[in-house]
Amino acid sequence: MFFLETLFWFPIRQEVSELSNKLYTTDKIKELFESFEEEGETILLFLKSVNLISIYDTQFQKKFEVQMKGIANEDITDKREYIKNKVTPTAIPTDSIWSQYKAALITWKPEESQTVQEWLIVNHFQGERDMSKTMSTLAHDEELGYAPYVGVAFPLNGVEVNTFRGHVFCFLPLPIEPDGKSMTNLPIHVNGFFALTSNRRHMLWATHDQHESDDNRLVWNKLIISELLSVAYVRLVDVLLDDMAISPEVVYLSLPDGENIDPKWSILLKALYRKVFKLKLFSTENKRRVYFPDALFFIFENEEKFSSNEIKDTLWNVATKYSENVVRLPRHLQNAVVHFEFIPEGTKPTTINAELICRFLHEKPQYESFSTRQKQHILQYLFDNISVDRFQNLRLLPTNDQATCVSLKGALEPVYICLHSEEKMFPLMEWKLVSSIPEDTKRHLIKLAKSGMYVHDILKTLYAISLIFFYCYRVVILTIIFLILCFRYTQCKNL
């Protein structure tokens, strides 16, 4: 009769022997169990046959338990063992083999509520047909004895993705170092048949005085990351995109931040992003998905200036009113889509700039429905970032009556810029006066008025007085005409 469970024997030595003088006291055993519990919540992620791990203090006193199950009671046994059953120890398959599934890791601890963490897991065994020449050579190297096998896992719930720090597995998680150097800072956990150091605690990396070509194990690790993990990662993102229950924001957060990941893992970025940007990845304001060449990314050129974030909000309204393909991305993806090494060959991202905004506004007069403040924002942005002749005919300059906007050139009569509250002396003439505008915009208008090329003038005090006389003269004349008409009307009535 065979015992159907898996037994592990630990040499818990209580007396010094010729083999070792390291002793295990009760306290050390408790520390061992506690350290296991720290990693136990994810220890089953990339294992193929182990479904349940329990730790007991005694035969009946359970201290910790973690179990892997399929979500919604799905039996994932075949999916977990699929690659293992397909691959033979003596040959590499011609075609790549894939396995993907969702799983729940259920963790139990005494005096704590049970936690359920759901994961999307993708495993990949690369076939000959998809290998580079160097990878194929190393995969057949009997001295190395490594298999071209990787896996990736992304948390679907219960984890703050913004603070999640990916870890490295070689089927089991590598030890977590106090300094955090064992973390990749990727938003996923990665598993692979990596070349490890002799104590199996770390991946093997080239030292400062070592070149990776001197050791095939170093080359192997580099290719595992750039060739195998990149395609497994892309498959994971593709699966997330196909799941309608997963929001675009979560999909975006599944992709790495090039500024924060461990520098040794940056070799993954170029291969990953060049592939993932070929997917229908980007979500518009109305939840449509678009490809990279069709997207209008709400990203501004570095040299463009902004007086306030309100201006950006207004430009978002402009972009979404004139285009259905506007895409707003988190900061780490904004950096990625404008990184020339990451974008697919032969493509270029379409981003927001003053030239594009001008073209939008000239094509259709939809901007005229914007509020006065929004038009001020647009005008200020254009003043700061493009020559005046590109927008001089757009009706963006609001006058003091709040209902009239005029263009910088092309109006029938001059519009006056008030510098010292002169507008108070001209009631009923708000449509000809400009004063309720930001100071930055006012400075641009004064400069234009002094140039004499545009239909604006600066309302100076002496000129204001002459305008008052002219205005009063018109009022007097109109009053006299009105009185004469009234007198004649009265005479006619008496007759």
Side-chain angles (χ1 to χ4, degrees):
M1 177 177 286
F2 295 97
F3 185 66
L4 298 179
E5 307 295 335
T6 302
L7 292 175
F8 293 90
W9 179 78
F10 295 96
I12 301 175
R13 189 173 293 102
Q14 295 179 319
E15 296 180 359
V16 175
S17 70
E18 294 181 2
L19 291 176
S20 175
N21 60 0
K22 188 173 184 179
L23 304 181
Y24 280 88
T25 62
T26 301
D27 290 338
K28 283 190 175 182
I29 292 174
K30 287 182 178 179
E31 289 178 8
L32 181 65
F33 283 169
E34 289 172 0
S35 65
F36 177 84
E37 289 177 16
E38 290 180 6
E39 301 178 3
E41 295 182 7
T42 57
I43 202 167
L44 297 177
L45 265 181
F46 298 105
L47 298 181
K48 306 306 167 196
S49 302
V50 182
N51 300 312
L52 174 69
I53 298 176
S54 302
I55 296 178
Y56 289 82
D57 240 2
T58 63
Q59 187 175 357
F60 303 106
Q61 188 175 1
K62 184 163 59 175
K63 301 293 292 180
F64 174 82
E65 182 175 273
V66 60
Q67 183 178 16
M68 175 177 273
K69 289 184 176 181
I71 295 176
N73 295 320
E74 178 190 5
D75 186 357
I76 58 174
T77 303
D78 290 342
K79 292 180 179 179
R80 294 181 71 196
E81 298 183 352
Y82 181 74
I83 293 179
K84 181 183 74 173
N85 295 333
K86 282 283 186 181
V87 175
T88 61
T90 57
I92 294 175
T94 302
D95 296 314
S96 295
I97 305 173
W98 292 92
S99 172
Q100 59 199 47
Y101 50 89
K102 292 179 181 178
L105 287 176
I106 305 165
T107 306
W108 179 92
K109 295 179 182 179
E111 301 179 0
E112 291 186 20
S113 59
Q114 177 178 276
T115 61
V116 179
Q117 173 65 62
E118 296 180 356
W119 296 84
L120 171 62
I121 302 166
V122 175
N123 295 307
H124 172 54
F125 195 103
Q126 194 174 52
E128 287 277 11
R129 196 189 306 274
D130 299 319
M131 286 184 184
S132 67
K133 184 177 180 181
T134 305
M135 172 58 87
S136 178
T137 300
L138 295 178
H140 287 90
D141 189 329
E142 293 183 358
E143 288 187 11
L144 292 179
Y146 300 140
Y149 179 86
V150 295
V152 290
F154 178 71
L156 297 174
N157 75 314
V159 170
E160 289 291 334
V161 181
N162 287 317
T163 58
F164 178 82
R165 298 180 68 195
H167 193 40
V168 183
F169 289 64
C170 190
F171 299 96
L172 292 173
L174 299 185
I176 298 176
E177 301 297 330
D179 58 7
K181 289 184 178 179
S182 57
M183 299 297 189
T184 63
N185 283 350
L186 292 168
I188 60 169
H189 288 318
V190 296
N191 174 54
F193 211 128
F194 297 112
L196 304 179
T197 56
S198 57
N199 61 7
R200 297 191 61 79
R201 295 183 63 86
H202 308 283
M203 280 183 63
L204 202 61
W205 300 101
T207 59
H208 292 295
D209 58 349
Q210 185 180 22
H211 196 278
E212 63 184 28
S213 62
D214 298 335
D215 190 334
N216 281 338
R217 295 174 300 170
L218 301 176
V219 179
W220 173 265
N221 279 349
K222 181 178 180 179
L223 293 178
I224 280 281
I225 295 171
S226 60
E227 288 192 21
L228 273 69
L229 274 176
S230 64
V231 295
Y233 205 150
V234 172
R235 174 68 72 95
L236 181 140
V237 175
D238 203 16
V239 174
L240 291 174
L241 289 170
D242 287 339
D243 191 333
M244 300 304 295
I246 295 176
S247 68
E249 291 74 23
V250 172
V251 177
Y252 292 158
L253 290 173
S254 73
L255 290 164
D257 183 349
E259 294 182 352
N260 290 332
I261 69 169
D262 187 310
K264 295 190 294 292
W265 288 83
S266 62
I267 56 176
L268 171 68
L269 296 177
K270 180 178 178 180
L272 168 65
Y273 275 119
R274 284 208 165 185
K275 294 181 179 75
V276 86
F277 281 165
K278 293 180 181 179
L279 301 178
K280 207 171 188 178
L281 172 69
F282 304 101
S283 182
T284 66
E285 180 73 358
N286 58 5
K287 306 304 180 184
R288 289 173 55 251
R289 287 208 181 105
V290 294
Y291 289 104
F292 185 95
D294 302 321
L296 171 55
F297 297 106
F298 194 68
I299 303 171
F300 296 86
E301 296 179 5
N302 293 332
E303 65 271 15
E304 293 206 325
K305 304 172 187 175
F306 296 94
S307 302
S308 70
N309 286 328
E310 283 186 291
I311 293 180
K312 283 190 176 182
D313 294 336
T314 295
L315 294 174
W316 169 259
N317 292 332
V318 173
T320 53
K321 197 172 188 70
Y322 281 86
S323 173
E324 295 181 347
N325 292 347
V326 184
V327 172
R328 192 194 289 268
L329 296 173
R331 174 61 62 183
H332 72 287
L333 282 186
Q334 290 184 28
N335 294 335
V337 298
V338 297
H339 196 297
F340 73 96
E341 288 190 340
F342 295 169
I343 61 178
E345 192 172 347
T347 62
K348 183 180 179 182
T350 304
T351 56
I352 302 294
N353 55 59
E355 183 67 37
L356 178 67
I357 295 297
C358 281
R359 191 167 77 241
F360 280 159
L361 302 183
H362 280 296
E363 285 176 357
K364 294 179 182 179
Q366 295 171 328
Y367 70 92
E368 294 184 7
S369 64
F370 289 170
S371 68
T372 298
R373 185 152 184 80
Q374 287 176 317
K375 291 176 182 176
Q376 288 178 353
H377 291 157
I378 297 170
L379 185 61
Q380 181 61 47
Y381 168 72
L382 295 178
F383 266 134
D384 288 341
N385 294 288
I386 201 170
S387 62
V388 176
D389 62 293
R390 296 293 293 116
F391 60 93
Q392 62 185 6
N393 293 320
L394 297 173
R395 290 185 290 275
L396 293 172
L397 178 61
T399 60
N400 285 5
D401 71 351
Q402 299 299 312
T404 304
C405 286
V406 298
S407 61
L408 301 181
K409 195 169 188 177
L412 297 177
E413 297 182 33
V415 176
Y416 298 96
I417 308 165
C418 302
L419 299 182
H420 305 292
S421 302
E422 297 92 344
E423 69 275 6
K424 296 177 182 177
M425 296 186 287
F426 300 97
L428 305 180
M429 291 187 65
E430 290 86 355
W431 60 278
K432 290 182 65 66
L433 305 176
V434 175
S435 62
S436 303
I437 55 174
E439 287 300 316
D440 289 343
T441 304
K442 188 176 289 188
R443 282 195 292 271
H444 285 292
L445 291 174
I446 291 171
K447 184 177 179 180
L448 291 179
K450 288 180 177 179
S451 72
M453 297 175 61
Y454 294 88
V455 294
H456 306 91
D457 203 351
I458 303 170
L459 198 55
K460 299 178 182 178
T461 303
L462 291 176
Y463 188 46
I465 292 173
S466 67
L467 280 180
I468 290 174
F469 283 121
F470 175 72
Y471 173 71
C472 291
Y473 174 77
R474 291 178 64 180
V475 172
V476 170
I477 294 298
L478 290 173
T479 302
I480 293 173
I481 293 172
F482 175 75
L483 291 174
I484 291 173
L485 291 175
C486 288
F487 177 75
R488 289 189 177 182
Y489 174 75
T490 304
Q491 284 184 324
C492 291
K493 189 174 181 182
N494 291 335
L495 293 174

